[in-house]
Amino acid sequence: MTAPLVYRFRLYVADDVPNSAEAIANLAAMCDQHLPGRHEVEIVDVFKHPQRALADGIFMTPALIKLFPAPVRKIAGTLSDVQIVLHALGLGNLAA
């Protein structure tokens, strides 16, 4: 039996500003609904790790990167429109 595909995400936030908190909550809800038990999320604060943000080409927050499976995709914003986020990340097949 094959192990389920685990999606890996990295969310860049700016401390605890409202937009960052909203993006964290929206990503958690999206993953819980569409990828239950099949996701890993790394949250990176750009104030604590600015070099990581620059290395990933992140110049605004909040910003989400889908790291796996390929291809890598990026989207910026609060992630409030789940359908748009899924399509932007190439996960439109998960939209219901």
Side-chain angles (χ1 to χ4, degrees):
M1 183 144 87
T2 309
L5 183 64
V6 176
Y7 290 79
R8 290 188 303 150
F9 300 98
R10 182 175 299 140
L11 179 63
Y12 283 94
V13 298
D15 201 25
D16 61 354
V17 299
N19 281 351
S20 293
E22 185 177 345
I24 291 168
N26 288 336
L27 179 60
M30 182 188 77
C31 287
D32 288 346
Q33 181 178 358
H34 297 282
L35 299 167
R38 300 185 306 135
H39 64 278
E40 297 174 359
V41 176
E42 175 188 12
I43 297 175
V44 179
D45 186 331
V46 298
F47 291 128
K48 295 177 183 171
H49 305 284
Q51 292 79 15
R52 288 193 65 198
L54 290 174
D56 272 341
I58 301 300
F59 298 102
M60 63 185 302
T61 61
L64 178 66
I65 303 175
K66 178 182 68 103
L67 300 166
F68 186 84
V72 172
R73 301 265 179 107
K74 298 178 186 180
I75 186 171
T78 61
L79 313 175
S80 59
D81 189 323
V82 174
Q83 300 305 315
I84 290 175
V85 172
L86 290 172
H87 286 286
L89 297 175
L91 304 174
N93 60 315
L94 299 177

